[in-house]
Amino acid sequence: MQLNDIPLFSGNESDNAVDWLHEFLLATANFHDSGIVRLLSARLAPNSPARQWFDALDANLKMSWALFEPYFRERWITAPQVDDAARQWELFQNHVLIIDDVLDNRKPITIDDIITFIDLVTEWSTQHVALGAGAKKTEEELIQATMKVIPSFIRAYIQVSLKPGPQTLTDLCSSIQNLPPSVLDLEVVRREGEIDEMRFLVHVDRRLQAMSEKVDNRLEEMSLKIDRLFEVQSRHTTAFAHANGSTEIEVPATTQKSEQNPASTEGIIWESCSPITSVASISFDSSSSVATPQAQSTTLPATSE
């Protein structure tokens, strides 16, 4: 669900604060802690009881979600909900650690990147541990769920390097915060390799498209040439029929050859471009609808230029 899809919260009796908070936390699961309170402020209805309560709240309590959330729950969620633990568990499972801002376009990793990474993970860990505490699950279940929402290269490092593995969720989050800089450097190199490979594949795809277009254009040119040759053959046939002054249908000898040997395409093209010196004559019998071939053929004198 997008943040803008969540209705404004007014704090009236018609509002279900539990459902509203649940949807809000799902929409902001991947935001930094310091920005979540500002996002909540933007989803409060103007001049509503919730807005008036928020404006009157101590500014220090609005500095982070970890400080603000207990006061919001105390004020607007008056009775504990039976399914509150289930809601916390769902939020916990969707609380993904995103560190792309630290790794993208940075090579090699600098000390400032490491500090940014530690700050980001520390903020994420604080929220994650708080969600885990409300989920009412065992440490093993919390650790297994957390391994699914951390980046794959961090998960691989923990599985290979940390033996025995972390026993509590707090230990796991601490291990992520203390990740060696070399692990981050290797991940940057790996991502750069993926980008180079993608660029190469795009280049190859463009070359193949260009070659395919050239082949298509060549085939089209050859098709046009063949059409012109058959057009020349047709003109010769028509011109000869008019010159003979007969109602007979005259078929060029080249056509007869093509019917006897359909595979001889080169012969058709060659002979269609040569002077026509003889034709076979086919006449129609008025008493029959079947054309009767004549044994005699007419030979034309060679035309002198």
Side-chain angles (χ1 to χ4, degrees):
M1 173 178 291
Q2 299 296 325
L3 187 61
N4 291 334
D5 297 333
I6 300 176
L8 297 180
F9 181 74
S10 63
N12 295 324
E13 293 182 359
S14 59
D15 290 340
N16 187 323
V18 174
D19 290 341
W20 186 90
L21 182 61
H22 173 68
E23 294 177 355
F24 175 79
L25 291 177
L26 281 177
T28 59
N30 296 321
F31 284 85
H32 293 173
D33 180 85
S34 57
I36 297 180
V37 178
R38 291 194 298 271
L39 294 174
L40 181 138
S41 174
R43 304 311 299 168
L44 298 179
N47 302 320
S48 64
R51 166 56 65 183
Q52 295 172 2
W53 168 83
F54 181 87
D55 293 341
L57 197 64
D58 188 340
N60 293 327
L61 299 178
K62 304 175 188 177
M63 297 297 293
S64 72
W65 180 253
L67 294 173
F68 174 82
E69 183 181 12
Y71 286 89
F72 182 90
R73 288 180 175 275
E74 181 181 356
R75 174 62 182 85
W76 302 109
I77 304 177
T78 55
Q81 302 294 316
V82 177
D83 59 345
D84 188 57
R87 293 176 185 274
Q88 291 290 322
W89 176 239
E90 182 180 358
L91 293 173
F92 183 86
Q93 292 175 302
N94 288 279
H95 192 224
V96 181
L97 173 59
I98 300 176
I99 59 173
D100 291 340
D101 293 342
V102 180
L103 300 181
D104 283 351
N105 301 322
R106 298 175 186 272
K107 185 180 180 180
I109 291 292
T110 65
I111 186 64
D112 291 336
D113 298 327
I114 297 175
I115 294 174
T116 301
F117 173 79
I118 294 175
D119 291 342
L120 189 153
V121 173
T122 300
E123 185 176 311
W124 175 85
S125 299
T126 302
Q127 300 175 27
H128 203 64
V129 171
L131 290 172
K136 307 302 181 182
K137 297 291 183 178
T138 64
E139 291 292 340
E140 183 179 357
E141 291 174 317
L142 294 175
I143 291 174
Q144 290 178 354
T146 301
M147 294 291 281
K148 297 178 181 179
V149 297
I150 60 178
S152 58
F153 76 97
I154 297 179
R155 180 167 59 249
Y157 166 78
I158 293 175
Q159 291 173 338
V160 173
S161 303
L162 301 183
K163 293 182 179 179
Q167 301 300 310
T168 66
L169 178 61
T170 303
D171 292 342
L172 175 57
C173 292
S174 177
S175 300
I176 297 174
Q177 294 179 53
N178 297 321
L179 197 70
S182 59
V183 177
L184 297 178
D185 250 336
L186 289 174
E187 176 63 11
V188 170
V189 173
R190 185 191 68 80
R191 293 190 180 200
E192 288 291 333
E194 287 184 349
I195 293 175
D196 292 340
E197 182 180 0
M198 186 178 301
R199 289 172 179 167
F200 173 75
L201 292 176
V202 170
H203 174 72
V204 171
D205 183 64
R206 290 176 178 173
R207 290 291 301 273
L208 291 175
Q209 289 180 359
M211 292 174 62
S212 177
E213 291 177 359
K214 289 182 179 179
V215 171
D216 291 342
N217 293 337
R218 184 59 179 163
L219 290 175
E220 185 176 356
E221 292 176 1
M222 294 176 64
S223 177
L224 291 174
K225 289 181 179 180
I226 293 175
D227 290 342
R228 292 193 191 102
L229 291 174
F230 278 109
E231 183 179 352
V232 171
Q233 180 187 17
S234 176
R235 289 177 180 175
H236 277 294
T237 303
T238 304
F240 184 78
H242 287 296
N244 191 42
S246 172
T247 58
E248 298 175 345
I249 300 176
E250 297 160 351
V251 181
T254 55
T255 305
Q256 290 182 336
K257 290 182 180 181
S258 66
E259 292 175 353
Q260 296 171 2
N261 185 13
S264 180
T265 306
E266 294 182 358
I268 295 176
I269 297 175
W270 176 257
E271 293 185 23
S272 66
C273 299
S274 304
I276 300 176
T277 57
S278 64
V279 296
S281 177
I282 301 176
S283 61
F284 287 93
D285 187 351
S286 59
S287 62
S288 173
S289 60
V290 181
T292 305
Q294 302 296 327
Q296 185 179 358
S297 64
T298 303
T299 304
L300 298 178
T303 305
S304 60
E305 298 181 355

